[in-house]
Amino acid sequence: MRLGARRIALAGFVLAWSAGRVVSQQPYHDPSPDIAKILDAPSTPAVVPSPDHLRLLILERAALPPIAAVAAPELRLAGVRLNPRTNALSRAQTYTALIFAPIGEGESRRVVLPGKTRIGGALWSPDGKRVAFTLIEEQGMSLWVAEASSGASRMLTGPVLNGAFGNPCQWLPTSAALLCAVIPAGRAAPPPDPETPSGPVVQESQGKPAANATYEDLLKNPHDEALFEHYFTDRLLLVPLSGTDRPVGSPGIHSSVDVSPDGRYLLVTTITRPFSYLVPYQRFAARTEVWDLPAGAAAVRKVTEHGALESEPRTRDAVRAGPRAVAWRADQPATLVWIEALDGGNPAASATARDRIVQLAAPFTGDASPVADLELRARSLVFGRADLAIVSEGWQRTHRARTWIVDPSHPGSAPRLLSERSSEDRYRDPGRFLTRPAEGTLLTSKDGRFAYLAGNGASEEGDRPFLDRIELATGKTLRLWRSEAPYFEEAVALLDPDRGLVLTRRESVNDPPNYFLRDIRQRGPGALVQLTRFKDPAPAFAGVTQQLITYTRADSVQLSATLYLPAGYDKGKGPLPFFFWAYPREFLDADAASQVVGSPYRFTRPSGASHLFLLLEGYGVLDGPTMPIIGRNGREPNDSYVEQLVMSAQAAVDKVVSMGVADPRRIGVGGHSYGAFMTANLLAHSDLFRAGIARSGAYNRTLTPFGFQNEERSYWEAEAVYAHMSPFNYADKIKEPLLLIHGMADDNSGTFPIQSERMYAALVGHGAPVRLVLLPAEAHGYRARESIGHTVYEMVSWLDRYVKGNGAAAMP
């Protein structure tokens, strides 16, 4: 964070403009006490089952962090935001407590921690007996381990971990040691910020096309390069549970390290110079090698090496040439597997097969052998045993998706087709194959005949999650279990396939999500045992009603949404002021776009700066009204973006008005990111809404000239589309009041804060009622308690003024 921005953030100012007049140093405002109480409540804990399926790890979370924590100094280098004091990610989720809870009988154990601490992350050992976790201390991050049987914990390293690339540690397969990235011993002080420039910063291109997204937080100068090298260089360290730590290999910028299933080898990706100013670290020059741990971490095979990937194609289904997605084969002791494009990575090239999956076993000499050739691009690969793998392929341009059974032990043998569908078709989604948590191998029955699938179960009545058994020899499926009304219940883990024991997460409209042990072979009360008892985090919402509704737009495409009404609302008292919150999505198929999205049985409570808080302020809310943008007759979806957007909005308005719950003269619309873009377009091209709220959006598509969202054409290839889709070009048509909110540290590609600043200026220039709120230190998603409270305050105040009221009341 640059000094000027940090000073603003630490002062806690919110910058706002009103009627063309700058108002600075405005204090944060809080919403109503009922909303503030919900914002101050701790978040619902996270839950992770153990690999042996004997326990749950419950990670308790604190309430929203204060602005002082969010605005703390951070470095923004190569696409990463780093806390320089701790050498860890500055905006990662943290936890306040660890609890071991039995799956079945027994007592829960709370891990005793030293003082007031922040837990950075936790990881089960492969044998399920322990959890390794990091503590974020004032001057660094340390490694600890807790015993699942007792909850006792102890420190394994001091605050020397290097968390620049995320979680710095992983277990070895034996569960007897961890491999960690640490700060090299004797690291010097960070390079100081030069007081006097040594010269201009120069970039030059030699004419090779490099069409890249508008990335945030890139390296900008030699000082950034020096900082990146200083903070991201690590030394690998083997940390046993008992015994002496052992350094592994030489210091380097190791962006990825994976231990082989037998624990002997490491697959290491090391970033090398020169660094790039055009792309984030994931596309820096790098080499990927296999290191032999017993041989002193000597490099025994270089798998791939490449320079900076600054000119990768952005078209759909295009990939880079050479090995990609290099990984360990989970079912073998030490076998590499990767993908290579057979068409050079060019989807326009003629080819009978696009991708080849290959493998190479230890000692990694000679050439890799083929596993399977694919007509489409490889999407996923799950190994079960020597003669069994599940391979999924797809083609983004047509949304074609297929899944095969492959025999890796007989390369060239014909694969067997398991499923084929459009990836847009949610109703025909067969689900995901379940894997064993420790090994990552395909979960099968004891006799190896069956595998298992879990999915969302999208249907005309809404999502109904399911668990299926699939016979591998025939591909026939048998439904073992399906979520039943009035609950929304999903399978988290299949604990024992042969006994039919499943860990599920269940909720209803009135019951908060909790974890249960379900015996799918039984019926009645004895089939279900509740394991957790998380409470309603927002009891004030208990009376809110919700309904999954469907309706049809003018071109016969069916749409859906979730309708919320305030507690105690009586339609006899007249229609409500309403607020729509939406996000458009592109489709190639109208039938897929017509599919119902959501479930009528979800437990819905607001979190963060949620639009659902408006239900406590007397508004009805239409949440997630589908806004499909469909490609027809060989045209791209965005060729008719505005027309389809307005058509969908019109249908949604007509529906809630016909139900008698919404006043057509008092409806507002809003959205975040692409939903903000949608909001500005709806105000520019329709008269359906009284006011709008657009958060962290992009409004001028010439500022994202090499594509945006799912639009792969560049500005120069589709100039008319970019122009017509940009609400900035129609600022003179927007007469309805628009509230613009944006994080000043937005980290999302394409949504620079200047997008909102320029849109505000354009609207002011044409006399539109508009307000701009810039949130100091906030990224694309808002985190600080003060920022979130103020955002909700702004939203309620804006809608009270321009939707519920007559627009006369002034805002501070």
Side-chain angles (χ1 to χ4, degrees):
M1 180 182 291
R2 295 293 176 258
L3 181 58
R6 183 157 64 244
R7 284 174 175 165
I8 293 173
L10 292 176
F13 300 157
V14 173
L15 306 184
W17 282 254
S18 179
R21 178 174 59 89
V22 177
V23 181
S24 64
Q25 299 187 17
Q26 186 182 91
Y28 289 107
H29 290 277
D30 231 13
S32 67
D34 286 342
I35 296 176
K37 184 178 180 180
I38 296 172
L39 293 179
D40 289 331
S43 301
T44 300
V47 176
V48 185
S50 63
D52 60 7
H53 295 153
L54 296 179
R55 296 177 177 86
L56 300 178
L57 174 64
I58 299 175
L59 298 100
E60 293 187 343
R61 294 185 271 211
L64 296 168
I67 186 63
V70 174
E74 68 179 1
L75 298 171
R76 302 175 188 173
L77 302 168
V80 176
R81 297 191 170 184
L82 189 77
N83 183 328
R85 291 199 301 263
T86 62
N87 217 119
L89 300 180
S90 57
R91 296 173 184 255
Q93 173 70 60
T94 59
Y95 306 93
T96 58
L98 301 176
I99 300 171
F100 294 112
I103 298 178
E105 297 182 356
E107 296 183 358
S108 295
R109 305 283 186 182
R110 180 177 289 268
V111 177
V112 178
L113 299 175
K116 188 176 182 181
T117 56
R118 287 190 299 144
I119 301 166
L123 187 64
W124 279 105
S125 61
D127 61 9
K129 294 181 178 180
R130 300 172 183 85
V131 163
F133 60 96
T134 57
L135 289 187
I136 301 176
E137 305 179 29
E138 186 63 28
Q139 298 302 323
M141 188 162 50
S142 56
L143 175 65
W144 291 64
V145 66
E147 302 292 329
S149 59
S150 65
S153 66
R154 59 191 174 93
M155 185 174 69
L156 294 181
T157 75
V160 298
L161 300 181
N162 188 323
F165 288 114
N167 189 354
C169 296
Q170 59 186 294
W171 284 97
L172 266 63
T174 60
S175 298
L178 295 106
L179 182 70
C180 297
V182 300
I183 297 168
R187 185 175 73 175
D193 200 349
E195 296 183 2
T196 303
S198 59
V201 176
V202 177
Q203 298 185 56
E204 181 178 347
S205 173
Q206 295 298 322
K208 185 177 181 180
N212 290 297
T214 47
Y215 295 112
E216 302 271 9
D217 302 339
L218 298 179
L219 300 183
K220 298 177 177 64
N221 51 52
H223 181 61
D224 279 355
E225 292 187 56
L227 289 172
F228 177 78
E229 197 160 40
H230 175 85
Y231 285 103
F232 286 74
T233 297
D234 64 51
R235 179 76 179 268
L236 299 182
L237 186 70
L238 196 62
V239 183
L241 296 182
S242 61
T244 305
D245 298 348
R246 178 164 66 89
V248 176
S250 302
I253 304 176
H254 303 126
S255 60
S256 175
V257 180
D258 290 301
V259 182
S260 63
D262 65 359
R264 172 170 178 172
Y265 298 97
L266 303 180
L267 181 63
V268 181
T269 298
T270 305
I271 290 175
T272 58
R273 282 183 174 270
F275 304 143
S276 173
Y277 290 14
L278 296 180
V279 293
Y281 81 85
Q282 293 90 340
R283 291 169 60 182
F284 279 11
R287 68 176 180 273
T288 299
E289 302 169 310
V290 177
W291 293 4
D292 188 339
L293 270 176
V300 297
R301 174 83 182 209
K302 182 167 66 176
V303 183
T304 182
E305 186 170 20
H306 59 78
L309 304 174
E310 296 180 339
S311 56
E312 285 196 310
R314 286 182 49 81
T315 56
R316 281 173 287 190
D317 304 304
V319 296
R320 63 183 178 89
R324 70 181 198 274
V326 184
W328 293 113
R329 181 170 162 175
D331 67 322
Q332 297 296 309
T335 295
L336 290 173
V337 61
W338 67 83
I339 305 164
E340 293 184 354
L342 298 175
D343 58 3
N346 181 8
S350 178
T352 56
R354 296 288 178 182
D355 274 351
R356 172 172 290 165
I357 300 171
V358 300
Q359 62 183 357
L360 181 64
F364 314 107
T365 56
D367 297 327
S369 60
V371 174
D373 286 356
L374 304 176
E375 181 186 345
L376 311 176
R377 292 284 181 235
R379 297 299 185 216
S380 66
L381 178 62
V382 179
F383 286 97
R385 54 180 185 259
D387 63 347
L388 174 64
I390 307 294
V391 178
S392 295
E393 62 175 344
W395 200 246
Q396 190 177 359
R397 179 166 289 279
T398 61
H399 291 274
R400 189 182 181 190
R402 297 190 299 196
T403 301
W404 303 86
I405 287 183
V406 173
D407 182 355
S409 65
H410 290 86
S413 60
R416 288 190 293 110
L417 183 66
L418 283 180
S419 66
E420 183 170 12
R421 67 183 180 96
S422 166
S423 59
E424 293 183 331
D425 187 353
R426 298 177 70 248
Y427 290 178
R428 293 181 59 206
D429 186 351
R432 70 188 186 280
F433 280 91
L434 299 184
T435 58
R436 293 182 174 87
E439 300 93 350
T441 55
L442 184 69
L443 178 64
T444 60
S445 56
K446 287 181 180 179
D447 58 14
R449 291 179 55 201
F450 303 102
Y452 301 90
L453 295 158
N456 292 327
S459 70
E460 293 181 355
E461 57 192 81
D463 291 349
R464 291 184 61 188
F466 65 85
L467 180 67
D468 282 357
R469 187 184 72 184
I470 180 169
E471 188 174 32
L472 295 170
T474 64
K476 294 181 179 178
T477 59
L478 174 68
R479 181 132 303 171
L480 300 176
W481 170 83
R482 189 185 188 194
S483 179
E484 298 289 343
Y487 297 99
F488 179 89
E489 186 174 4
E490 54 191 334
V492 175
L494 182 51
L495 305 180
D496 190 326
D498 298 285
R499 294 175 58 200
L501 297 180
V502 185
L503 177 68
T504 70
R505 184 176 182 268
R506 187 169 89 148
E507 62 191 90
S508 72
V509 171
N510 298 313
D511 300 309
N514 270 288
Y515 289 79
F516 291 78
L517 178 62
R518 175 176 284 281
D519 186 339
I520 59 176
R521 301 170 305 173
Q522 295 188 27
R523 295 291 182 267
L528 201 63
V529 177
Q530 187 168 351
L531 302 176
T532 63
R533 299 189 180 277
F534 302 141
K535 297 181 179 180
D536 186 343
F541 267 74
V544 169
T545 61
Q546 67 182 76
Q547 179 183 355
L548 183 64
I549 62 173
T550 58
Y551 48 98
T552 305
R553 74 183 192 186
D555 61 354
S556 300
V557 174
Q558 179 179 278
L559 308 176
S560 60
T562 302
L563 175 74
Y564 292 93
L565 298 174
Y569 169 65
D570 180 1
K571 191 160 58 174
K573 296 182 180 179
L576 293 166
F578 243 80
F579 186 63
F580 292 9
W581 187 263
Y583 192 97
R585 299 189 184 278
E586 295 89 348
F587 291 86
L588 295 181
D589 182 72
D591 290 338
S594 295
Q595 293 180 350
V596 174
V597 177
S599 168
Y601 306 121
R602 300 303 299 263
F603 179 83
T604 304
R605 294 294 185 266
S607 61
S610 175
H611 51 285
L612 296 180
F613 282 119
L614 292 165
L615 290 157
L616 297 181
E617 302 293 333
Y619 292 86
V621 173
L622 193 68
D623 188 30
T626 50
M627 300 277 181
I629 311 299
I630 306 166
R632 290 194 174 100
N633 303 319
R635 301 179 66 197
E636 293 292 324
N638 284 337
D639 291 348
S640 55
Y641 171 86
V642 169
E643 295 79 5
Q644 294 193 60
L645 188 70
V646 173
M647 197 178 353
S648 295
Q650 180 71 66
V653 169
D654 291 345
K655 177 64 176 180
V656 293
V657 170
S658 69
M659 293 175 69
V661 295
D663 181 346
R665 300 165 300 174
R666 296 189 298 164
I667 301 178
V669 65
H672 189 94
S673 194
Y674 206 53
F677 174 71
M678 170 208 74
T679 297
N681 266 307
L682 286 172
L683 296 188
H685 297 286
S686 78
D687 294 316
L688 296 169
F689 301 102
R690 185 79 171 267
I693 298 174
R695 296 189 340 206
S696 299
Y699 311 102
N700 183 350
R701 284 302 168 195
T702 67
L703 297 179
T704 55
F706 290 107
F708 56 90
Q709 206 69 4
N710 288 323
E711 177 57 65
E712 66 175 358
R713 295 170 294 182
S714 74
Y715 167 77
W716 298 271
E717 294 170 307
E719 183 177 350
V721 172
Y722 275 65
H724 192 47
M725 288 182 69
S726 296
F728 179 84
N729 292 341
Y730 298 90
D732 60 326
K733 307 298 183 185
I734 297 178
K735 306 303 179 185
E736 297 84 2
L738 179 60
L739 172 63
L740 297 164
I741 302 176
H742 215 119
M744 294 174 68
D746 197 317
D747 57 346
N748 184 56
S749 174
T751 53
F752 290 88
I754 195 174
Q755 288 273 6
S756 289
E757 294 168 353
R758 294 300 92 204
M759 188 66 183
Y760 170 80
L763 291 171
V764 167
H766 288 94
V770 60
R771 180 177 174 91
L772 174 63
V773 178
L774 297 177
L775 300 173
E778 293 294 352
H780 195 61
Y782 316 147
R783 296 178 62 235
R785 168 63 178 83
E786 293 88 342
S787 302
I788 289 174
H790 189 89
T791 297
V792 175
Y793 161 83
E794 291 279 355
M795 293 172 64
V796 172
S797 300
W798 192 255
L799 295 176
D800 281 354
R801 181 180 181 187
Y802 288 111
V803 173
K804 185 185 290 186
N806 58 16
M811 294 179 68

